Amino acid sequence: MTVNEEVREEIIIDEEKLIEALERQDIKTFREEYLILHPYDRAIFYEKVDVGLRKTMYFFLSPKELAEIFETSEIDENEYKQFLQEMDTTYAADMISYMFVDNAVDVLKELDKSQIATYLTLMNKAAASEIKSLLHYEEYTAGSIMTTEYVSIPQNSTVRSAMTILKNEAPSAETIYYVFVVDEDNRLTGVVSLRDLIIADEDTLIQSIMNERVVSVLVSADQEDVARMTQDYNFLAVPVVDFQHHMLGIITVDDIIDVINEEASDDYSKLAAVSNMDSFDKNSLSAAKKRIPWLIILLILGMLTANLIDLFTDTISQVALLAAFIPLIAGTAGNSGTQALAVAVRGIATRDIEDESKFKLLLREAGTGLITGIVCAIFVVGLIFIWKHEFIIALLVGAAILVSIFVATISGSFIPLFMHRMKIDPAVASGPFITTLNDVISIIIYLGLATTFISSLN
Amino acid sequence: MTVNEEVREEIIIDEEKLIEALERQDIKTFREEYLILHPYDRAIFYEKVDVGLRKTMYFFLSPKELAEIFETSEIDENEYKQFLQEMDTTYAADMISYMFVDNAVDVLKELDKSQIATYLTLMNKAAASEIKSLLHYEEYTAGSIMTTEYVSIPQNSTVRSAMTILKNEAPSAETIYYVFVVDEDNRLTGVVSLRDLIIADEDTLIQSIMNERVVSVLVSADQEDVARMTQDYNFLAVPVVDFQHHMLGIITVDDIIDVINEEASDDYSKLAAVSNMDSFDKNSLSAAKKRIPWLIILLILGMLTANLIDLFTDTISQVALLAAFIPLIAGTAGNSGTQALAVAVRGIATRDIEDESKFKLLLREAGTGLITGIVCAIFVVGLIFIWKHEFIIALLVGAAILVSIFVATISGSFIPLFMHRMKIDPAVASGPFITTLNDVISIIIYLGLATTFISSLN
């Protein structure tokens, strides 16, 4: 792809050479060429080759070296299971134990209970107990994405002793750029950045340079809220505490980026009415499986609309032209509803909406709906009149469009806000419900008015 | 908001005390209480109070202190101009010169040319020339989001001399966690992380511990590609070079997060057919302005569909029930097209799609469309037959739904891929064009078939 060439200075992976070395069982050449690559590029190669060559790689690489590959985002969650099954069980357990705890937990969560138990038994006690302590946190909470590999120091340390601790922990900690200060009960009392430590004199007491107003998150906090906060404050890592302010772990910025992406994909897929677009489908059947349920729901809801139109068959058989504008009216209501919904959902996601009162917001949306409705109605009346010279029908369509845009805009913003308050994900409110509501309302207005004024139409 | 309470350990901003201090002109109390806050919280307060109090703040805070507030993401781009106009011009110029260069450029880009020139003239030469060097980069390129405040060292340094340079540059550099190694011509030759420096012995040569396979981006690269790469490699910062590999600047992870968010909002708003949802509208009129153009385009396209249906008025006036299913068929085609589109757009955005051939992808989408179409058609035929006992109409609707889902799925994935290849943003292909295409095709099939078999329907 041209995109890649433009962005990256050429880091050429000599795939053929690597594959050849694997096939020749030439461990020296393979390791020389392979280990020089960035773990992400190693992962791309690892994923690409076929099982036979991967099995050779398990002999050529130590569990620790393989762990680095598994840390990358290139390996999808749904691939963990398959790859682990290719490995010797002890080798796999070792590999998991060398991963950062939070990532190890992500891998294990994809497995069956019996497999988790096996791997935990086979790995060293220390790693197993750290992993166990994280395994039980509920999904989408701060606890589920934190790691326990952070650097903490007692509050009575000096800069010198802090630097010594840092040097020792640097190889295993996920980040050393923040050092967390704790009291004797492991309660979080402050934070010092490595930047501050480097500038400070070696004999300075940590207490005198640490930031006491450290921002932390509760272990039960929603991961999306944590992500938002990390962005607001531009943190590279944020400490996680329990309700008594005991330090439990940290969440690093790379995991925050994953949450942001997940959330964006999630909102997007809900707006498009496809369930779970997280992973890209490799075959038609699994892709169809994700789309059919939504289409069926939408079909059933569409039958309601059809049923409703059916009530007006008398009117339609008298003036068939009326039917021509039904998709236009329903479509416009749907479009303006989706616009209002998208603004509300995105506003909730970026927290812009929290800054102001719900009442003001609804008032503003009502205003927007009215302006939009009037402009579109005038436009459509003119258009139909010029095209068909049917003034009465033009007025009917215009009235239906005005009212339906107005109602669609208000419901498109009110329903997600209401759902948000009820603690239901507002993005779910997208397509189906709002669209059907708008269809029904716009058709009742349009065909209802048409039936009332049918005498003027004939 | 409850959300906040859950997430953050209470950092209470005593707003009343701060406001009171400002009103009493009590500079000491104000500074004591205010400067202890995180810049983000300071920004929230700064934004909230009215102009009068903000003007007092300009007397109570140094330009450097105010710069910290302007660095936060809380201050929106559209607010820069207003706030700068409240300040004394020299004070504002000073303030801008104290910001990180990339952020200073973001502020200036919001202003008129004459204002930019004024501020650049008033600030110190060094800051002005750094800002000027960044001002001309095109929007959405790596150059437009990079900063020149990075730490670089000559390749023949030792760890000790590198640490000395770091300590000196720490107060002004945007990140000190990566140190970039350059040759005598300022060409990028390697990178060392602060983590590596801390672990290494002081007398070690930088060349022996630096990573020579440093990943960099060209200054002209698209910012979205840079963002994706930074995520793949889990970088905290990425170096920017020209085509001769001269080091020009770095892009830090906080700016990458902004790009990711921008991109997500952008794709989302295009799917919802609202232009530019970046900033949240504070009044009905400006919100309506963003929505009306799309609604009008959709209305015009909808008139095409209406025109098409109008060709079949004879058929409809004979069997008015046919009209009842028009919105259902058009809606289903639209829904399945949007699903395929969303998967394709998201796949392009996350680069999943680049991993495989376009032909295989289209073949798979055709398969998905066929499966989805058959399932939905069977479902709808059954439903209509049970409900209306109209077997012929049920078959007509089923046939129309099968074909239109099939066509919609293929066009929904083919059109964005084609646009991507033509270097047009595929998200633009969303609503309008695909929906209209699907409407037209599905209605021709449905009403065309109905007209052909009209004798069996009467």
Side-chain angles (χ1 to χ4, degrees):
Chain A
M1 281 296 303
T2 46
V3 178
N4 267 352
E5 284 164 25
E6 269 174 39
V7 178
R8 269 154 61 186
E9 291 300 303
E10 358 68 77
I11 295 212
I12 300 142
I13 310 179
D14 192 344
E15 282 179 22
E16 280 178 33
K17 195 170 180 186
L18 286 169
I19 291 176
E20 211 189 49
L22 284 175
E23 282 168 348
R24 276 190 289 113
Q25 298 283 326
D26 178 354
I27 184 163
K28 191 164 160 288
T29 313
F30 177 77
R31 287 178 59 85
E32 264 172 16
E33 293 286 321
Y34 191 65
L35 292 179
I36 206 176
L37 301 173
H38 187 283
Y40 179 77
D41 295 319
R42 277 180 243 164
I44 288 179
F45 177 81
Y46 170 79
E47 247 190 331
K48 219 177 201 170
V49 298
D50 53 26
V51 198
L53 293 181
R54 267 204 301 273
K55 286 194 171 163
T56 311
M57 288 175 71
Y58 301 139
F59 286 102
F60 286 8
L61 299 172
S62 72
K64 195 174 174 180
E65 285 158 352
L66 192 68
E68 275 194 89
I69 298 173
F70 266 70
E71 308 270 10
T72 67
S73 58
E74 178 61 18
I75 313 270
D76 270 355
E77 292 189 354
N78 49 20
E79 296 173 315
Y80 289 148
K81 205 168 172 170
Q82 184 206 328
F83 289 149
L84 288 176
Q85 271 164 353
E86 297 170 4
M87 302 173 204
D88 173 76
T89 324
T90 322
Y91 180 91
D94 264 8
M95 194 274 292
I96 297 169
S97 74
Y98 280 114
M99 292 178 73
F100 285 118
V101 193
D102 53 343
N103 298 334
V105 170
D106 289 343
V107 170
L108 289 178
K109 274 188 178 158
E110 296 298 312
L111 309 179
D112 311 328
K113 277 200 174 156
S114 64
Q115 289 176 299
I116 300 178
T118 310
Y119 289 128
L120 286 176
T121 317
L122 287 173
M123 70 180 68
N124 74 63
K125 291 277 167 295
S129 85
E130 278 208 83
I131 289 173
K132 270 183 212 153
S133 76
L134 288 182
L135 258 178
H136 66 272
Y137 287 111
E138 248 179 286
E139 245 190 319
Y140 310 121
T141 62
S144 74
I145 52 169
M146 75 181 183
T147 178
T148 51
E149 286 142 325
Y150 57 90
V151 183
S152 69
I153 52 174
Q155 48 188 349
N156 54 5
S157 323
T158 59
V159 169
R160 182 180 294 110
S161 59
M163 286 300 286
T164 312
I165 295 176
L166 257 192
K167 281 183 201 181
N168 291 333
E169 305 228 3
S172 73
E174 195 162 334
T175 180
I176 59 161
Y177 302 134
Y178 291 137
V179 179
F180 298 94
V181 187
V182 292
D183 68 12
E184 51 287 349
D185 291 332
N186 196 37
R187 281 199 182 84
L188 180 66
T189 59
V191 64
V192 187
S193 72
L194 181 50
R195 190 193 281 248
D196 296 330
L197 284 177
I198 282 185
I199 302 173
D201 185 81
E202 293 223 307
D203 293 316
T204 315
L205 274 173
I206 287 298
Q207 270 179 316
S208 67
I209 58 164
M210 77 182 187
N211 183 351
E212 285 172 35
R213 297 176 73 90
V214 48
V215 177
S216 59
V217 298
L218 278 175
V219 69
S220 55
D222 186 283
Q223 62 175 13
E224 294 187 4
D225 295 324
V226 178
R228 246 166 263 139
M229 204 193 65
T230 314
Q231 292 171 65
D232 288 345
Y233 288 95
N234 272 344
F235 290 141
L236 296 179
V238 67
V240 182
V241 295
D242 65 16
F243 68 100
Q244 289 176 315
H245 226 250
H246 293 117
M247 177 101 189
L248 298 176
I250 60 167
I251 299 172
T252 48
V253 72
D254 54 310
D255 297 314
I256 294 296
I257 290 181
D258 291 344
V259 172
I260 296 172
N261 274 327
E262 237 175 68
E263 185 184 354
S265 277
D266 200 45
D267 283 353
Y268 192 81
S269 62
K270 278 173 191 150
L271 189 64
V274 196
S275 14
N276 182 15
M277 287 202 320
D278 278 0
S279 55
F280 200 71
D281 290 296
K282 302 276 179 205
N283 72 69
S284 302
L285 198 64
S286 67
K289 265 191 203 154
K290 286 184 185 170
R291 301 186 200 175
I292 288 175
W294 281 107
L295 288 178
I296 296 282
I297 293 173
L298 294 166
L299 272 176
I300 296 173
L301 292 171
M303 289 301 287
L304 291 178
T305 316
N307 217 332
L308 186 71
I309 299 174
D310 187 40
L311 298 176
F312 295 98
T313 34
D314 272 358
T315 312
I316 291 171
S317 49
Q318 287 179 54
V319 190
L321 181 60
L322 284 172
F325 299 104
I326 295 177
L328 180 77
I329 295 166
T332 306
N335 292 329
S336 55
T338 307
Q339 289 180 332
L341 172 92
V343 171
V345 167
R346 207 58 208 163
I348 291 169
T350 57
R351 242 181 17 192
D352 280 330
I353 272 181
E354 287 181 14
D355 295 348
E356 59 175 314
S357 80
K358 303 284 167 291
F359 181 72
K360 259 180 69 184
L361 185 93
L362 285 178
L363 213 65
R364 192 179 61 222
E365 281 296 321
T368 308
L370 202 62
I371 298 170
T372 318
I374 291 172
V375 173
C376 290
I378 293 174
F379 180 81
V380 94
V381 169
L383 207 63
I384 296 176
F385 184 65
I386 292 166
W387 174 49
K388 284 277 145 192
H389 304 287
E390 293 271 9
F391 192 59
I392 307 284
I393 287 192
L395 278 183
L396 284 179
V397 176
I401 284 207
L402 196 163
V403 179
S404 61
I405 287 181
F406 182 69
V407 174
T409 307
I410 293 179
S411 62
S413 53
F414 180 72
I415 294 178
L417 280 175
F418 177 76
M419 291 186 119
H420 180 58
R421 167 154 293 187
M422 296 285 104
K423 309 244 170 218
I424 305 169
D425 181 352
V428 174
S430 73
F433 308 106
I434 291 182
T435 304
T436 307
L437 183 72
N438 295 337
D439 279 0
V440 168
I441 291 170
S442 60
I443 286 165
I444 290 179
I445 294 163
Y446 175 56
L447 294 179
L449 284 176
T451 309
T452 313
F453 295 106
I454 190 80
S455 54
S456 342
L457 287 169
N458 283 318
Chain B
M1 281 296 303
T2 47
V3 179
N4 267 352
E5 283 165 26
E6 270 174 37
V7 178
R8 269 153 62 184
E9 291 299 303
E10 358 68 78
I11 294 213
I12 300 142
I13 311 179
D14 192 343
E15 283 178 21
E16 280 177 33
K17 196 170 179 186
L18 286 169
I19 291 176
E20 211 189 50
L22 285 175
E23 282 167 348
R24 275 190 290 113
Q25 298 280 328
D26 178 354
I27 184 164
K28 193 164 160 287
T29 313
F30 177 77
R31 288 179 57 86
E32 265 172 18
E33 293 286 322
Y34 190 65
L35 293 178
I36 205 175
L37 300 174
H38 186 284
Y40 179 76
D41 295 318
R42 277 181 243 164
I44 289 178
F45 176 82
Y46 170 78
E47 247 191 331
K48 219 176 201 171
V49 297
D50 53 26
V51 198
L53 292 181
R54 267 205 300 276
K55 287 195 171 164
T56 311
M57 287 176 70
Y58 302 138
F59 287 101
F60 285 8
L61 298 172
S62 72
K64 195 175 176 181
E65 284 158 353
L66 193 68
E68 274 194 88
I69 298 173
F70 265 69
E71 308 270 10
T72 67
S73 59
E74 178 61 18
I75 313 270
D76 272 355
E77 293 189 355
N78 49 19
E79 295 172 316
Y80 289 148
K81 204 168 172 171
Q82 183 206 329
F83 289 149
L84 288 176
Q85 270 163 353
E86 295 169 6
M87 303 174 203
D88 174 76
T89 323
T90 322
Y91 180 91
D94 265 8
M95 196 275 292
I96 296 170
S97 75
Y98 279 114
M99 292 178 72
F100 285 119
V101 192
D102 54 342
N103 298 335
V105 169
D106 289 343
V107 171
L108 289 179
K109 275 190 177 157
E110 297 297 311
L111 308 179
D112 311 328
K113 280 203 171 150
S114 64
Q115 289 177 299
I116 299 179
T118 310
Y119 289 128
L120 286 176
T121 317
L122 287 173
M123 69 178 70
N124 73 65
K125 290 279 167 293
S129 85
E130 279 208 81
I131 289 173
K132 271 183 212 153
S133 75
L134 287 182
L135 257 178
H136 66 271
Y137 287 111
E138 248 180 285
E139 244 191 319
Y140 310 122
T141 62
S144 74
I145 53 169
M146 76 180 182
T147 178
T148 50
E149 286 143 325
Y150 58 89
V151 183
S152 68
I153 52 173
Q155 47 188 351
N156 53 3
S157 322
T158 60
V159 169
R160 182 180 295 109
S161 60
M163 287 299 286
T164 312
I165 295 176
L166 257 192
K167 280 183 202 182
N168 290 333
E169 306 229 5
S172 73
E174 194 161 335
T175 181
I176 58 161
Y177 301 135
Y178 290 137
V179 179
F180 298 94
V181 187
V182 291
D183 67 12
E184 51 286 349
D185 291 331
N186 197 37
R187 281 201 182 83
L188 181 66
T189 59
V191 64
V192 188
S193 71
L194 181 50
R195 190 194 281 249
D196 296 329
L197 285 177
I198 282 186
I199 301 173
D201 185 80
E202 293 222 306
D203 293 316
T204 315
L205 275 172
I206 288 297
Q207 269 179 316
S208 66
I209 57 164
M210 77 181 187
N211 183 353
E212 286 173 34
R213 296 177 71 90
V214 48
V215 177
S216 60
V217 297
L218 278 175
V219 68
S220 54
D222 186 281
Q223 62 175 14
E224 294 187 5
D225 295 324
V226 178
R228 246 168 263 139
M229 204 194 64
T230 314
Q231 292 170 67
D232 287 346
Y233 289 94
N234 272 344
F235 291 139
L236 295 179
V238 66
V240 182
V241 295
D242 65 17
F243 69 101
Q244 290 177 313
H245 225 249
H246 293 116
M247 176 101 189
L248 298 176
I250 59 166
I251 299 172
T252 49
V253 71
D254 54 308
D255 297 314
I256 294 295
I257 291 181
D258 291 344
V259 172
I260 296 172
N261 274 327
E262 237 175 67
E263 184 184 355
S265 278
D266 199 44
D267 283 353
Y268 192 80
S269 62
K270 278 173 192 149
L271 189 63
V274 196
S275 15
N276 182 14
M277 288 201 321
D278 278 1
S279 56
F280 199 71
D281 290 296
K282 302 276 180 207
N283 73 69
S284 303
L285 198 64
S286 66
K289 266 190 204 155
K290 286 184 186 170
R291 300 186 201 175
I292 288 174
W294 280 108
L295 288 178
I296 296 283
I297 292 173
L298 294 166
L299 271 175
I300 295 172
L301 293 171
M303 288 301 287
L304 292 178
T305 316
N307 216 333
L308 187 69
I309 299 175
D310 187 40
L311 298 177
F312 296 97
T313 33
D314 272 357
T315 312
I316 292 172
S317 48
Q318 287 178 55
V319 190
L321 180 61
L322 285 172
F325 297 105
I326 294 176
L328 180 78
I329 294 165
T332 307
N335 292 328
S336 55
T338 307
Q339 289 180 331
L341 172 91
V343 170
V345 167
R346 208 57 209 163
I348 291 168
T350 59
R351 244 183 10 196
D352 281 331
I353 273 181
E354 288 181 13
D355 296 346
E356 58 176 314
S357 80
K358 303 283 166 292
F359 181 71
K360 260 180 69 183
L361 186 94
L362 285 178
L363 213 65
R364 192 179 61 224
E365 281 295 322
T368 309
L370 201 63
I371 299 171
T372 319
I374 291 173
V375 173
C376 290
I378 293 175
F379 180 81
V380 93
V381 170
L383 206 64
I384 296 176
F385 185 65
I386 292 166
W387 173 49
K388 283 277 146 192
H389 303 289
E390 292 271 11
F391 192 58
I392 309 284
I393 287 193
L395 278 183
L396 283 179
V397 176
I401 283 204
L402 195 163
V403 180
S404 61
I405 287 182
F406 182 68
V407 174
T409 307
I410 292 178
S411 62
S413 53
F414 180 72
I415 293 178
L417 279 175
F418 177 75
M419 291 185 118
H420 181 57
R421 165 152 296 187
M422 297 284 103
K423 310 243 172 220
I424 305 169
D425 181 352
V428 175
S430 73
F433 307 106
I434 291 182
T435 305
T436 308
L437 183 72
N438 295 337
D439 278 1
V440 168
I441 291 169
S442 60
I443 285 165
I444 289 180
I445 294 163
Y446 175 56
L447 294 180
L449 284 176
T451 309
T452 314
F453 296 106
I454 190 80
S455 53
S456 342
L457 287 169
N458 283 318

